[in-house]
Short mmCIF file of all heavy atoms in Angstrom, two decimals:
data_model
loop_
_atom_site.label_atom_id
_atom_site.label_comp_id
_atom_site.label_asym_id
_atom_site.label_seq_id
_atom_site.Cartn_x
_atom_site.Cartn_y
_atom_site.Cartn_z
N THR A 931 11.60 -50.65 39.55
CA THR A 931 12.49 -49.49 39.51
C THR A 931 13.23 -49.43 40.85
O THR A 931 12.61 -49.47 41.92
CB THR A 931 11.72 -48.20 39.33
OG1 THR A 931 10.99 -48.25 38.09
CG2 THR A 931 12.65 -47.00 39.29
N ILE A 932 14.55 -49.37 40.79
CA ILE A 932 15.37 -49.37 41.99
C ILE A 932 16.07 -48.01 42.10
O ILE A 932 16.82 -47.62 41.18
CB ILE A 932 16.41 -50.49 41.97
CG1 ILE A 932 15.73 -51.86 41.85
CG2 ILE A 932 17.32 -50.42 43.22
CD1 ILE A 932 16.68 -53.01 41.76
N ARG A 933 15.83 -47.30 43.19
CA ARG A 933 16.43 -46.00 43.43
C ARG A 933 17.34 -46.08 44.68
O ARG A 933 16.87 -46.44 45.73
CB ARG A 933 15.38 -44.93 43.59
CG ARG A 933 14.71 -44.54 42.27
CD ARG A 933 13.81 -43.32 42.39
NE ARG A 933 13.32 -42.92 41.09
CZ ARG A 933 12.24 -43.39 40.53
NH1 ARG A 933 11.49 -44.28 41.17
NH2 ARG A 933 11.85 -42.96 39.32
N ASP A 934 18.61 -45.69 44.48
CA ASP A 934 19.55 -45.60 45.60
C ASP A 934 19.79 -44.15 45.92
O ASP A 934 20.02 -43.33 45.01
CB ASP A 934 20.85 -46.28 45.20
CG ASP A 934 20.72 -47.80 45.16
OD1 ASP A 934 19.85 -48.33 45.88
OD2 ASP A 934 21.45 -48.44 44.36
N TYR A 935 19.76 -43.83 47.21
CA TYR A 935 19.91 -42.45 47.67
C TYR A 935 21.20 -42.32 48.43
O TYR A 935 21.49 -43.11 49.33
CB TYR A 935 18.70 -42.09 48.56
CG TYR A 935 17.38 -42.14 47.83
CD1 TYR A 935 16.71 -43.37 47.69
CD2 TYR A 935 16.79 -41.00 47.31
CE1 TYR A 935 15.50 -43.43 47.03
CE2 TYR A 935 15.59 -41.06 46.66
CZ TYR A 935 14.94 -42.28 46.50
OH TYR A 935 13.75 -42.35 45.84
N TYR A 936 21.98 -41.27 48.11
CA TYR A 936 23.28 -41.05 48.71
C TYR A 936 23.28 -39.64 49.37
O TYR A 936 22.66 -38.71 48.87
CB TYR A 936 24.41 -41.10 47.67
CG TYR A 936 24.54 -42.42 46.97
CD1 TYR A 936 23.73 -42.78 45.92
CD2 TYR A 936 25.51 -43.35 47.42
CE1 TYR A 936 23.87 -44.00 45.28
CE2 TYR A 936 25.66 -44.57 46.77
CZ TYR A 936 24.83 -44.90 45.72
OH TYR A 936 24.97 -46.11 45.09
N ASN A 937 24.04 -39.53 50.47
CA ASN A 937 24.13 -38.23 51.13
C ASN A 937 25.26 -37.41 50.56
O ASN A 937 25.90 -37.77 49.56
CB ASN A 937 24.30 -38.43 52.65
CG ASN A 937 25.55 -39.20 53.03
OD1 ASN A 937 26.50 -39.26 52.22
ND2 ASN A 937 25.60 -39.74 54.18
N ARG A 938 25.59 -36.28 51.21
CA ARG A 938 26.60 -35.37 50.73
C ARG A 938 28.00 -35.98 50.72
O ARG A 938 28.90 -35.50 50.03
CB ARG A 938 26.61 -34.09 51.57
CG ARG A 938 25.28 -33.37 51.59
CD ARG A 938 25.31 -32.22 52.60
NE ARG A 938 23.95 -31.75 52.89
CZ ARG A 938 23.67 -30.85 53.79
NH1 ARG A 938 24.66 -30.29 54.52
NH2 ARG A 938 22.44 -30.47 54.02
N ASN A 939 28.17 -37.03 51.53
CA ASN A 939 29.47 -37.69 51.58
C ASN A 939 29.55 -38.89 50.64
O ASN A 939 30.44 -39.74 50.77
CB ASN A 939 29.74 -38.16 53.03
CG ASN A 939 29.86 -36.97 54.00
OD1 ASN A 939 30.46 -35.98 53.64
ND2 ASN A 939 29.23 -37.09 55.15
N ASN A 940 28.58 -39.00 49.74
CA ASN A 940 28.54 -40.09 48.78
C ASN A 940 28.36 -41.45 49.43
O ASN A 940 28.92 -42.45 48.99
CB ASN A 940 29.83 -40.07 47.91
CG ASN A 940 29.68 -40.91 46.65
OD1 ASN A 940 28.60 -41.21 46.22
ND2 ASN A 940 30.83 -41.27 46.10
N LYS A 941 27.63 -41.49 50.54
CA LYS A 941 27.36 -42.73 51.23
C LYS A 941 25.90 -43.10 51.05
O LYS A 941 25.00 -42.24 51.18
CB LYS A 941 27.64 -42.58 52.75
CG LYS A 941 29.11 -42.25 53.05
CD LYS A 941 30.06 -43.35 52.61
CE LYS A 941 31.51 -43.01 53.02
NZ LYS A 941 32.45 -44.03 52.55
N LEU A 942 25.67 -44.36 50.76
CA LEU A 942 24.26 -44.84 50.60
C LEU A 942 23.48 -44.65 51.90
O LEU A 942 23.96 -45.02 52.97
CB LEU A 942 24.30 -46.31 50.20
CG LEU A 942 22.93 -46.96 49.97
CD1 LEU A 942 22.35 -46.47 48.65
CD2 LEU A 942 23.02 -48.47 49.96
#
Side-chain angles (χ1 to χ4, degrees):
T931 300
I932 301 178
R933 287 189 173 88
D934 289 330
Y935 298 83
Y936 298 83
N937 62 20
R938 302 173 195 174
N939 297 317
N940 196 20
K941 300 297 183 181
L942 181 73

